[in-house]
Amino acid sequence: MLLPWDVAAACSAGLGTVTVAARASRRPRAVAAAAFTWEAGIVLGLYAVWQWAGSLGRRNVDSALSRGEAIWNFEHWLHLPSEQSIEHAVLPHSLLAQAANVFYLGVHVPALVAFLVWLFVRHRDSYSEWRNTGALLTGAVLAIQFVAVAPPRLLPKLGFVDMAAVYGQSVYGDGGVGAATQVAAMPSMHVAWALLVAAGVIAVSRSRWRWLVLAHPILTVVVVVATANHWWLDGLVVVPLLAASYCVQAGVRRAIGSWRRPPADLAPAGQRYGAVSVRRP
């Protein structure tokens, strides 16, 4: 079960208080720990906003179903592979199907947290860049999700099956209410965060093994489709959203850097005109 938004908000506030107290103590170890508690509080605060915003989505199911069918028809027009064939290939295999359900439920949040911790510990200079990108990406996904779109599993007339319900692993309750709203399929937050993790690792790491992280978004896409929780397009639309989020945060960072940089006419003379060597007689 995911952490409720109110618990996450309380933890975020608590960590903020700890951070203030640690910085006020001016003890070296406390000040060093404050950097971690501050960032942990920010992440928990963003998580609380995500959970709270998702809880607002109790939308008209009929319009969501019609939009889901529209996506199905559009994908057929694009000649994309059938989600139904992927699900029916996995559904008869009990262990594989249950593993896919567990992956869908429990991997996206821990993977994102592990990515942020790795950045904070190993690549602190790149941490805020990707944290801000993730915050913008999550906000963009949430904003679009307020337009209700049903996932494939809510359209049995098209041949889809709710795989999690078949194996008793569903986290959703009746009427579209559960751990998350059932009619917020477009875009996929699972795919969004998986792509964020992969892009960040590839951009920051210099290991030749970093490309293996691409397995994470690929497996995520296969899982969300195989479990009938998302359409192909739910994942595809995340790609431009991620690119836009990164460009926006990069532009803001450059603008802030330019604003903080002193104008040329106020810079020290040595910086304006370059060092002048004076030869002594």
Side-chain angles (χ1 to χ4, degrees), residues 99-117:
N101 290 329
V102 171
F103 186 99
Y104 177 81
L105 172 62
V107 171
H108 59 302
V109 173
L112 179 64
V113 171
F115 167 65
L116 292 174
V117 171

Side-chain angles (χ1 to χ4, degrees), residues 40-220:
I42 290 177
V43 172
L44 275 173
L46 293 172
Y47 173 89
V49 172
W50 167 58
Q51 284 288 76
W52 173 76
S55 70
L56 299 178
R58 307 295 179 248
R59 296 168 274 251
N60 187 290
V61 175
D62 292 334
S63 61
L65 294 176
S66 64
R67 292 189 185 101
E69 290 187 41
I71 290 179
W72 163 265
N73 293 327
F74 184 60
E75 288 184 345
H76 272 241
W77 181 76
L78 293 175
H79 300 288
L80 293 178
S82 170
E83 293 94 347
Q84 186 186 88
S85 62
I86 304 296
E87 183 186 30
H88 288 186
V90 175
L91 188 60
H93 305 283
S94 175
L95 291 179
L96 184 59
Q98 292 182 64
N101 290 329
V102 171
F103 186 99
Y104 177 81
L105 172 62
V107 171
H108 59 302
V109 173
L112 179 64
V113 171
F115 167 65
L116 292 174
V117 171
W118 172 74
L119 281 176
F120 187 81
V121 174
R122 299 292 301 273
H123 303 278
R124 186 78 60 88
D125 56 334
S126 299
Y127 173 81
S128 61
E129 175 184 12
W130 289 98
R131 179 202 61 199
N132 295 341
T133 299
L136 290 171
L137 176 62
T138 301
V141 170
L142 283 173
I144 298 173
Q145 283 182 347
F146 276 97
V147 178
V149 176
R153 59 186 171 75
L154 293 185
L155 293 166
K157 67 179 182 180
L158 297 180
F160 292 102
V161 178
D162 190 336
M163 185 184 294
V166 169
Y167 288 98
Q169 296 173 300
S170 179
V171 298
Y172 300 103
D174 297 330
V177 180
T181 177
Q182 294 202 55
V183 289
M186 169 69 78
S188 169
M189 191 71 78
H190 290 68
V191 177
W193 286 352
L195 284 175
L196 174 71
V197 170
V201 170
I202 291 172
V204 173
S205 176
R206 291 296 173 261
S207 170
R208 62 178 179 175
W209 302 105
R210 68 187 185 277
W211 296 100
L212 293 177
V213 76
L214 289 174
H216 178 45
I218 292 173
L219 183 58
T220 298

Side-chain angles (χ1 to χ4, degrees), residues 9 18 97 277 280:
V18 170
S277 60
R280 294 186 178 181

